[in-house]
Amino acid sequence: MERTFLFITLLYITLFTNVPCVALDKNASLVQDILSQTNQFRKSKGLPQLIIRRELNLIAQQHSVDMAIGSVGFGHDGFAKRNSMASKVITPLFSFAENVAYGAASARDVVTMWKNSSGHRRNMLGRYKYIGIGISRDRQGRLFYTQIFAA
């Protein structure tokens, strides 16, 4: 418990000191829409709904911000680090996956993009219990999305 509290505290400090422009609440509606779209897709395949975890949202948010500001390229750079961070929140962590995207204007658009890609689709339909979603906008106004899954 103490270790988890320390991890979350450090994560908050990292997010809010390195990226002062992060607006988690600004994207709250879009995050909820992505969660809803993802869970509707899972339900259509007879799978249980994913449970959103704020700690996982923070991990996903940081990756979206990093991609949007160009500190990492678009993709999965740092995946092992995010996996390690998630293992401090979800114990024991049995499996971990992520989807990334950019440019979609709505939750429906980004979830449709993921559904139409075999690897992303497999993650969305995987045997996961938890989800984290992060969204950030770059200087050109493009949205960068990260969706992480944990079980």
Side-chain angles (χ1 to χ4, degrees):
M1 181 72 166
E2 188 175 314
R3 187 173 113 182
T4 301
F5 176 76
L6 178 60
F7 166 74
I8 293 169
T9 302
L10 290 173
L11 184 62
Y12 280 126
I13 291 168
T14 300
L15 277 174
F16 296 113
T17 58
N18 290 340
V19 188
C21 62
V22 172
L24 294 173
D25 292 337
K26 182 178 178 183
N27 293 322
S29 174
L30 187 52
V31 166
Q32 286 302 312
D33 288 348
I34 291 169
L35 175 65
S36 176
Q37 292 283 324
T38 301
N39 278 331
Q40 284 176 20
F41 180 51
R42 288 176 60 85
K43 183 178 179 182
S44 76
K45 304 299 181 188
L47 297 170
Q49 290 191 355
L50 296 168
I51 301 164
I52 199 158
R53 292 283 301 261
R54 181 162 175 76
E55 304 94 332
L56 296 178
N57 283 356
L58 292 171
I59 295 167
Q61 179 67 29
Q62 183 64 54
H63 186 54
S64 290
V65 168
D66 289 344
M67 290 187 297
I69 66 173
S71 64
V72 299
F74 172 72
H76 301 284
D77 288 351
F79 176 81
K81 179 180 175 186
R82 288 185 295 285
N83 188 346
S84 176
M85 292 168 74
S87 73
K88 292 172 176 55
V89 175
I90 309 297
T91 55
L93 181 65
F94 295 110
S95 56
F96 182 79
E98 83 180 357
N99 289 342
V100 296
Y102 76 93
S106 70
R108 183 177 306 278
D109 291 346
V110 73
V111 171
T112 297
M113 288 169 56
W114 285 326
K115 285 177 3 183
N116 291 331
S117 163
S118 62
H120 296 103
R121 180 185 184 91
R122 184 172 45 252
N123 288 342
M124 291 172 63
L125 297 177
R127 296 176 62 133
Y128 299 104
K129 183 174 181 179
Y130 303 109
I131 187 171
I133 301 166
I135 305 163
S136 186
R137 189 177 300 274
D138 71 4
R139 292 178 195 254
Q140 290 76 39
R142 292 176 298 196
L143 291 171
F144 285 75
Y145 303 87
T146 303
Q147 190 180 47
I148 59 177
F149 306 91

